[in-house]
């Protein structure tokens, strides 16, 4: 049946023309019920024996309306609910002659949609009665939370229930009650606290257009869930806008795309905010935030010249895109009011594991059973008169503190796909599996390089080996150097289940005790023939490129080295075989490449990376140490960088508008300015007009008496950097292609296709670039698709990094559980009520709180002024003991005691994931430092310790200042 619809439309010139739309309605759309003989099924979806409940006593199928799909998706996804008819997907009601309906005059789109759903349910109810034998026992039920929709359905003779009514009739699955989405919980609302209404879409659009409003993605501080920020353009400069306090955040959470209005300059933030330890500290912080822009006239705070200029501060006035997801958390024990045996439904609060997310209020009958467990909850709504968002219980994850539970939590929290590969995906691999070998038919179109001395160099225990190297001398005195990358695209074909899975995962995720692969294991690590994509240069003795070529190849690895084994081969002068000589040549060439790269302005940054030694059986950490880097690490790195740059140049010649490239934008200057001010009292300076200027400044910023200082400065400089990102070449000008950190005008990722999907796309682009007869799909020339892919890959990469850090944190806590150690550390951040300390020995960091209950008690008992106060002039914390000022500043050395904090919100193991607790040892402050002496006076030993610490911190500053310009402070060039 052909359905026509015509109407008149006025064109741009004002002339009217007739538009005719044709809609073909069919009679042969099947119902998808297994036992139906009237429909011509290909693959029936619905069982012939659906379930029944205490509410609906006959076997029945379920048809949810649109709002149920949106608001109660967790209910529908529960295994107890089966045989659900999703209209349009299971049954195309809009294309069936008997279920399609026209929109009536004056009927709203929503009412028309509800009527179409009722029409489809009525057709199904009639259709199932006609099924031989089974029909008289089958029913069809409409699920709708719309009262009017249910009333109209019942008038038409349709069985219709709300979701709550339906799940209450499922006595075998009482947990479904807790999974009901909460749009409102009347008894939770705090009428004394009401958020401002958000602006209308029209007001937001006009405000952004007029540049009176600023749009950005909200990033909440890890130290303070009431401190957020966005990046936006102010006066033509990219600037960080701070958002402080619950009122100004205005129901926005981490990751939301928000619209911000700047506050008046008198309300801008001048000093650091405090870190929130417990919720009861929030009130104190809010009071401080209200006065954040005002200078305090106290002798203890010298504010006539603030350390920091006022920072732009604003408030959220609209939310463009919510970033709500499911959150892992635990029930707050204090919020549970029922008895241990109670099964009554009650409102409880859930603390998310992600400290940046506010508490979530849920209603549950399982509060007592869920105590001490990690649970998954989802946010449903956040009314303006509710202090916290409202949500519902999804499922329990396991006992808190159990390593497997905590590992699943960190994977879920960082949205890491970690399910096993489906059979559909595995079917895309060669049926021989690990027994697959290169055969003669695979050599077509490839260069045979199996005669070369190819070897790989990787970390110990690495099984996803995807790169190898070779070098040989040429008759003209130059060298042929090859980087050979596993030809993963031979196995991963476009638009296959394997390709779809890899693009969804984006990257392999490395945890301390295991790896979450992007791809199933394709290639073994044995010394066998392997298919490769080779980048081969001719380099002169100065490591300058004479020419470069790219080819599909087959190689045979002669050796699989670890970094340490390769270094030993290079250093052992007794060895003189061809492979060892090749390693030495590669090492010398790599050093020259590195020197040239540094001369261009490449940065040598740093991060405190640690390595765990795990128990063979329990996989618990038994030792922690810093990762050691050798020359062979740099050897591999230099040639991988060179390959990535060469490939980027090649693919951009072919795919000018759609190359998948990687860039690193210049750092945000406001963050570097803070670091420059922090080191100025040491007589040091940082120039950052260019990456070369910054690299040279970092090289010069050394303290002879402190070998670790330069690495520490590089770690903090790294944190001032923006993150590198994938982008599509056609979406930005070529001057913005530059990779700031590598000082390269163009860059991409080519060398790790087993663990990065970006490299798979680049391999496909390179294959099309070197073979003019190559056939490739539109996915390589569709700018929008490449742009969308880049967004996914950037997100997956960030999440993988954060998951890896959380895994390190988890295993660090396990390592220190039951231990108490004292270690020397460095102050790397000053807060109003504490400071952050980095421990070089373990590469870990934690917060020392200056507002501890013990410290407050000592101050109160002895009738003293506050134990330690923030000095905004010098950006430090100060304490006056017996007339002597003891200060704690950035880069100061301190001694802290490390233990695992088991006194947690929610109660012990059922609270937050256990975290490291750091307490000050030196310099000694009564009531704050760890000491057996709680009196108000310092004992002689502590006085000596304080003197020693103070002298060390003072002398290195004094010596450095006297070394520069005859003791005069050198001006800082910005």
């Amino acid at each position: 049946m052909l359905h026509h619809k015509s109407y008149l439309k006025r064109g741009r010139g004002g002339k009217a023309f007739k538009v005719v739309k044709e809609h073909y309605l069919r009679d042969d759309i099947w119902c998808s019920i297994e036992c139906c003989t009237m429909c011509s099924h290909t693959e029936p979806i619905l069982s012939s024996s659906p379930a029944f409940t205490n509410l609906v006593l006959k076997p029945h199928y379920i048809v949810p309306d649109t709002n149920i799909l949106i608001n109660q998706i967790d209910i529908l996804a529960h295994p107890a609910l089966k045989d659900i008819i999703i209209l349009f997907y299971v049954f195309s009601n809009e294309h069936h002659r008997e279920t399609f309906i026209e929109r009536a005059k004056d009927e709203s789109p929503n009412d028309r949609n509800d009527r179409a759903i009722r029409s489809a349910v009525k057709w199904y109810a009639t259709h199932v009665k006609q099924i031989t034998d089974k029909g008289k026992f089958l029913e069809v039920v409409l699920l709708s939370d719309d009262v009017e929709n249910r009333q109209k359905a019942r008038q038409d003779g349709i069985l219709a229930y709300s979701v709550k009514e339906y799940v209450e009739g499922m006595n075998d699955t009482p947990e479904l009650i807790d999974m009901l989405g909460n749009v409102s919980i009347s008894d939770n609302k705090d009428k004394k606290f009401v958020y401002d209404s958000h602006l209308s879409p029209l007001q937001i659009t006009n405000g952004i257009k007029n540049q009176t409003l600023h749009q950005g993605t909200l990033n909440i501080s890890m130290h303070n869930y009431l401190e957020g920020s966005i990046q936006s353009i102010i006066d033509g400069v990219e600037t960080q806008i701070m958002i402080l306090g619950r009122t100004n955040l205005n129901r926005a959470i981490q990751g939301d795309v928000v619209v911000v209005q700047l506050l008046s300059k008198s309300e801008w933030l001048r000093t650091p905010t405090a870190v929130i330890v417990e919720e009861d500290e929030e009130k104190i912080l809010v009071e401080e935030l209200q006065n954040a822009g005002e200078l305090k006239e106290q002798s203890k705070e010298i504010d006539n010249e603030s350390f920091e200029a006022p920072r732009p501060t604003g408030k959220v006035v609209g939310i463009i895109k919510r970033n709500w997801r499911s959150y892992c958390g635990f029930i707050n024990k204090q919020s549970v009011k029922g008895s241990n045996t109670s099964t009554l439904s009650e409102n409880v609060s859930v603390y998310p594991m992600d400290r940046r997310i506010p508490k979530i209020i849920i209603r549950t009958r399982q509060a007592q059973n869920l105590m001490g467990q990690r649970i998954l909850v989802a946010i449903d709504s956040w009314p303006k008169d509710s202090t916290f968002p409202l949500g519902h219980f999804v499922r329990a994850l396991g006992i808190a503190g159990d390593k497997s539970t905590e590992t699943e939590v960190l994977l879920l929290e960082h949205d890491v796909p970690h399910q096993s590969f489906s059979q559909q995906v595995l079917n895309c691999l060669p049926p021989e599996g690990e027994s697959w070998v290169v055969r003669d038919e695979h050599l077509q179109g490839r260069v045979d390089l199996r005669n070369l001395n190819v070897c790989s160099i990787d970390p110990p225990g690495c099984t996803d080996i995807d790169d190898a190297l070779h070098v040989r001398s040429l008759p003209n005195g130059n060298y042929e150097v090859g980087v050979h990358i596993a030809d993963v695209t031979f196995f991963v074909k476009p638009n296959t289940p394997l390709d779809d899975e890899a693009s969804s995962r984006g990257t392999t995720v490395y945890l301390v005790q295991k790896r979450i692969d992007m791809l199933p294991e394709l290639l073994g690590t044995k010394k066998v023939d392997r298919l490769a994509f080779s980048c081969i240069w001719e380099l002169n003795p100065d490591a300058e490129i004479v020419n470069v070529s790219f080819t599909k190849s087959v190689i045979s690895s002669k050796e699989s080295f670890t970094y340490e084994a390769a270094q030993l081969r290079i250093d052992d002068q007794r060895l003189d075989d061809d492979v060892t000589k090749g390693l030495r040549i590669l090492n010398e060439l790599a050093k020259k490449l590195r020197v040239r790269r540094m001369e261009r302005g490449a940065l040598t940054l740093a991060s405190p990376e640690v390595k765990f030694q795990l128990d063979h059986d329990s996989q618990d950490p038994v030792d922690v140490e810093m990762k050691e880097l050798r020359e062979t690490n740099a050897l591999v790195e230099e040639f991988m960088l060179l390959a990535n740059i060469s490939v980027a140049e090649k693919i951009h010649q072919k795919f000018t508008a759609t190359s998948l490239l990687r860039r690193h934008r210049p750092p945000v200057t406001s963050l570097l300015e803070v670091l420059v001010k922090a080191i100025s009292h040491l007589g040091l300076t940082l120039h950052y007009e260019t990456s070369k200027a910054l690299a040279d400044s970092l090289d010069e910023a050394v303290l002879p008496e402190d070998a670790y200082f330069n690495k520490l400065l590089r770690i903090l400089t790294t944190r001032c950097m923006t993150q590198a990102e994938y982008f599509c070449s056609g979406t930005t000008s070529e001057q913005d292609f530059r990779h700031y950190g590598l000082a390269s005008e163009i860059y991409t990722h080519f060398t790790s296709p087993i663990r990065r999907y970006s490299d798979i796309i680049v391999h496909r682009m390179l294959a099309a670039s070197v073979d003019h007869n190559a056939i490739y799909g539109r996915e390589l020339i569709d700018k929008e698709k490449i742009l969308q892919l880049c967004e996914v890959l950037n997100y997956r990469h960030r999440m993988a990094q954060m998951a890896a850090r959380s895994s390190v944190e988890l295993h660090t806590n396990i390592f220190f559980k039951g231990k108490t150690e004292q270690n020397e550390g460095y102050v790397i951040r000053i807060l109003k009520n504490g400071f952050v300390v980095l421990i070089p020995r373990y590469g870990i960091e934690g917060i020392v709180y200056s507002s501890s209950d013990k410290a407050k008690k000592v101050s109160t008992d002895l009738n003293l002024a506050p134990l330690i106060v923030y000095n905004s002039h010098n950006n430090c914390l100060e304490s006056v003991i017996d007339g002597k000022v003891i200060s704690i500043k950035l880069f100061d050395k301190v001694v802290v005691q490390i233990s695992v904090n088991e006194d947690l919100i929610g109660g012990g193991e059922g609270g937050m994931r256990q975290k490291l607790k750091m307490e000050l040892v030196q310099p000694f402050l009564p009531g704050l430092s760890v000491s057996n002496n709680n009196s108000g006076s310092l004992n002689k030993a502590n006085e000596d310790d304080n003197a020693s610490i103070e002298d060390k911190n003072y002398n290195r500053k004094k010596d450095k200042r006297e070394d520069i310009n005859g003791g005069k402070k050198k001006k800082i060039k910005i």
Side-chain angles (χ1 to χ4, degrees), residues 764-807:
R764 291 173 182 164
M765 289 182 169
L766 183 61
S769 300
V770 299
D771 182 359
H772 299 295
N773 297 318
I775 300 174
Y776 51 90
R778 285 193 55 81
E779 69 273 4
L780 299 186
I781 57 174
D782 188 325
K783 187 189 298 185
E784 285 301 315
K785 283 191 176 181
I786 296 293
L787 182 60
Q788 291 171 8
L789 177 62
C790 289
E791 292 175 356
V792 171
L793 296 179
N794 288 329
Y795 171 74
R796 290 296 185 202
H797 184 70
R798 286 195 304 272
M799 292 299 102
Q801 286 182 318
M802 294 171 68
R805 291 172 192 156
S806 293
S807 182

Side-chain angles (χ1 to χ4, degrees), residues 674-722:
V674 174
L675 194 58
V676 167
K677 291 178 181 178
I679 65 171
S680 61
H681 69 278
L682 296 171
L684 300 174
T685 182
L686 285 181
H687 306 298
Y688 49 86
E689 305 87 353
T690 64
S691 61
K692 172 64 174 170
L694 181 57
D696 291 342
S697 295
L698 288 171
D699 289 341
E700 295 169 2
V702 294
L703 297 178
E705 70 280 6
D706 190 346
Y708 189 76
F709 174 81
N710 186 260
K711 182 175 181 179
L712 178 62
L713 183 59
R714 292 179 190 273
I715 289 172
L716 297 185
T717 304
T718 301
R719 297 180 183 185
C720 296
M721 296 289 136
T722 57

